[in-house]
Amino acid sequence: MPDSTPGRKIAFAAFVRKALADARATRAWTGSEVARRTGVSRQTINRWVRGEWASDPEAERVVAFCEGLGINPTVAFGVLGWADAAPTRPAPTAPPMDPDVEALLRRLVDPNVSDAEKFHIRETVRYLAYRPPVPSDSRKGRKRAS
């Protein structure tokens, strides 16, 4: 069993904080959204961030956290000193991305795009992601313009 030295806890806490900051910046995910998408509870993630764990994190949870955020789990394993350990699941291949979504992501990371424009892109995407679905029956009563 690897030792739980304070240095490892600090390094893993920094790794988790950076992963969360990246998820907030690039995907506008909240802590709750990260927990939902990774399958790792907010409480566990918060303990990792604070470095408050008595025994090493479970490898399966570390893998789930990393995969949910698109990070190679071997990076986290290296931070934890588990360099020889392999992820328990093979890394999934990313599904093909819609070209429009890909273009938006490129604009969000482009240093030549203003912060104001990036803000508007994120707000528009957030609005579209969480708006209620439009019932298909509401369109039946409308008449088309001739």
Side-chain angles (χ1 to χ4, degrees):
M1 177 174 170
D3 74 293
S4 295
T5 61
R8 286 179 59 248
K9 288 183 178 185
I10 292 169
F12 187 64
F15 167 80
V16 173
R17 276 194 297 274
K18 180 170 180 353
L20 292 173
D22 290 348
R24 282 187 198 102
T26 60
R27 300 176 179 155
W29 286 359
T30 62
S32 297
E33 185 66 13
V34 169
R36 186 181 74 76
R37 293 195 183 239
T38 63
V40 179
S41 73
R42 287 184 63 192
Q43 294 82 2
T44 297
I45 294 171
N46 288 332
R47 273 196 312 273
W48 291 351
V49 166
R50 293 187 310 266
E52 295 176 356
W53 30 279
S55 60
D56 281 355
E58 295 174 11
E60 295 79 20
R61 286 187 182 176
V62 174
V63 169
F65 178 79
C66 291
E67 287 180 350
L69 296 175
I71 301 168
N72 186 335
T74 57
V75 175
F77 285 11
V79 169
L80 286 165
W82 301 345
D84 296 334
T88 55
R89 295 181 266 169
T93 57
M97 189 175 298
D98 183 279
D100 294 331
V101 173
E102 203 169 325
L104 284 173
L105 290 174
R106 275 195 306 273
R107 292 193 66 74
L108 286 172
V109 297
D110 185 344
N112 298 320
V113 174
S114 71
D115 288 340
E117 185 174 347
K118 290 177 182 180
F119 172 80
H120 289 296
I121 291 170
R122 286 188 184 102
E123 287 300 308
T124 302
V125 170
R126 193 174 289 121
Y127 164 76
L128 292 171
Y130 296 108
R131 74 179 180 154
V134 178
S136 59
D137 294 344
S138 68
R139 294 182 184 174
K140 290 182 180 177
R142 295 183 189 167
K143 294 185 179 183
R144 291 187 193 185
S146 302

